[in-house]
């Protein structure tokens, strides 16, 4: 079963995960750079494993999808959120932050906007792999 929780709040009754992308970035410290001879000197802090998640509404629950969007916007100014999500095979849980989210209009009926899937990129607050 797929689900998503932010700060312990469950959204699985409102939204479901349609796309689950994992990514990683290796962050170097201030001592990294090219030596005069051209060789790269690394100062690895660690590897940050993040996730890009796309969610869609369950059934005709447009209000639930809007509620999830509103929650993301409201907590976008928090230092971090606790993310827990599952796609049916893998479960992730870590302290994360996000700086962007996106959502396209699906349709407009009688002047009412119906929004489609929400895509959000979660970045871990701390490296999960350290040297």
């Amino acid at each position: 079963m797929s689900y998503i929780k932010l700060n312990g709040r469950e959204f699985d009754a409102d939204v479901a995960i349609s796309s689950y992308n994992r990514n990683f970035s290796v962050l170097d410290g201030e001592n990294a750079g090219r030596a005069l001879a051209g060789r790269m000197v690394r100062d690895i802090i660690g590897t940050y494993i993040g996730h890009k998640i796309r969610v869609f509404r369950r059934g005709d629950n447009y209000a639930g999808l809007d509620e999830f969007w509103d929650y993301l916007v409201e907590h976008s100014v928090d230092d971090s959120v606790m993310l827990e999500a599952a796609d049916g095979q893998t479960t992730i849980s870590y302290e994360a932050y996000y700086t962007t989210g996106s959502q396209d209009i699906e349709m407009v009926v009688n002047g009412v906007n119906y929004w489609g899937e929400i895509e959000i990129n979660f970045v871990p607050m701390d490296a999960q792999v350290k040297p």
Side-chain angles (χ1 to χ4, degrees):
M1 177 176 163
S2 71
Y3 68 89
I4 187 164
K5 291 182 188 178
L6 293 175
N7 297 329
R9 180 169 172 189
E10 294 183 37
F11 288 96
D12 56 314
D14 303 323
V15 298
I17 297 172
S18 63
S19 174
Y20 198 67
N21 167 274
R22 63 184 178 180
N23 54 74
F24 70 87
S25 294
V26 180
L27 186 61
D28 281 298
E30 61 185 43
N31 295 319
R34 294 268 172 212
L36 290 177
R39 179 169 172 79
M40 183 66 185
V41 176
R42 301 290 306 270
D43 180 22
I44 298 173
I45 295 171
T47 302
Y48 296 75
I49 304 166
H51 294 83
K52 185 186 301 182
I53 298 174
R54 184 180 288 264
V55 300
F56 65 98
R57 71 183 181 287
R58 290 198 185 269
D60 287 334
N61 191 355
Y62 285 98
L65 190 64
D66 289 345
E67 186 178 329
F68 183 64
W69 175 266
D70 292 342
Y71 187 90
L72 289 169
V73 171
E74 178 183 346
H75 292 276
S76 64
V77 294
D78 294 353
D79 287 338
S80 67
V81 294
M82 272 309 293
L83 167 67
E84 185 178 331
D87 64 357
Q89 296 178 352
T90 306
T91 301
I92 57 169
S93 181
Y94 57 90
E95 185 182 14
Y97 70 95
Y98 53 94
T99 58
T100 61
S102 65
Q103 185 179 35
D104 293 328
I105 261 201
E106 194 172 79
M107 65 182 158
V108 178
V109 178
N110 297 325
V112 177
N113 294 335
Y114 292 92
W115 292 91
E117 294 183 330
I118 297 170
E119 184 175 271
I120 187 91
N121 189 32
F122 292 98
V123 180
M125 292 294 291
D126 197 13
Q128 292 99 326
V129 180
K130 297 179 182 180

